[in-house]
Amino acid sequence: MPCDGASRCYEPITDEHLQRLAQLVLPVFEGLFDRRPDTSGRYRGRLLMLALCQGAAQHRVDGRHGVKDLDVWGFFRPHPGGRFPVRWRKTCDFGPSALGNHPDDAGYTGRRIDVLGRSIEAEAGESGAGDVRRYLAGARTRTAWHLAQRPVIGLYPAPLFGTQVWPVGP
């Protein structure tokens, strides 16, 4: 693999990589829901959008930033019983690919995927992308502000796949 052992990989992030990310991350959220049905489990079926964010999304757009890890965020419609657990974070292994592996990520055969989630306000009749754009544009939390500094690339649902939902054109 051309990027094995490199702290940053400059290979392009392809549609195939994005498909694989969605396939790997969706079950991570399902596992969370299964393990904590009384808290996190109430978010099952409330996913607005799954997105590639931060540095890897920047690299997908400009091809120059490089990939250190893959940050995938799930944005969920709020639940009246409480917020999505804000400190929840899981990791998983992308596996062998042209993106290689990071030298500091022992035990991973490919790039590390950081999986995170947030519940965000959702407007009736709005698309998940519209809800995420409003969340980022408002930047009312540190997380929203940080995520708004880089592009956001849709992974799921299918109509958003591969689209840059943030920032929106000129």
Side-chain angles (χ1 to χ4, degrees), residues 66-141:
V67 177
K68 189 168 113 181
D69 60 9
L70 301 155
D71 297 298
V72 177
W73 285 77
F75 297 98
F76 294 85
R77 204 172 17 265
H79 188 281
R83 298 185 326 182
F84 190 91
V86 294
R87 297 205 187 280
W88 181 84
R89 175 183 170 268
K90 278 296 218 186
T91 61
C92 59
D93 191 345
F94 189 76
S97 76
L99 300 177
N101 62 354
H102 191 283
D104 294 337
D105 287 337
Y108 288 82
T109 60
R111 293 285 157 174
R112 185 185 73 239
I113 305 170
D114 292 331
V115 183
L116 304 106
R118 283 295 181 274
S119 52
I120 64 172
E121 290 304 313
E123 298 286 329
E126 180 75 83
S127 71
D131 294 321
V132 169
R133 287 182 191 119
R134 195 173 37 268
Y135 169 72
L136 297 174
R140 290 188 291 239
T141 65

Side-chain angles (χ1 to χ4, degrees), residues 34-56:
D34 290 344
R35 281 188 307 280
R36 299 178 65 188
D38 57 330
T39 56
S40 307
R42 61 184 159 223
Y43 278 92
R44 188 184 309 274
R46 301 181 81 82
L47 181 64
L48 294 165
M49 185 177 141
L50 194 65
L52 178 65
C53 298
Q54 300 175 292

Side-chain angles (χ1 to χ4, degrees), residues 54-67:
Q54 300 175 292
Q58 183 71 51
H59 184 68
R60 164 77 178 195
V61 170
D62 70 16
R64 297 185 312 266
H65 186 270
V67 177

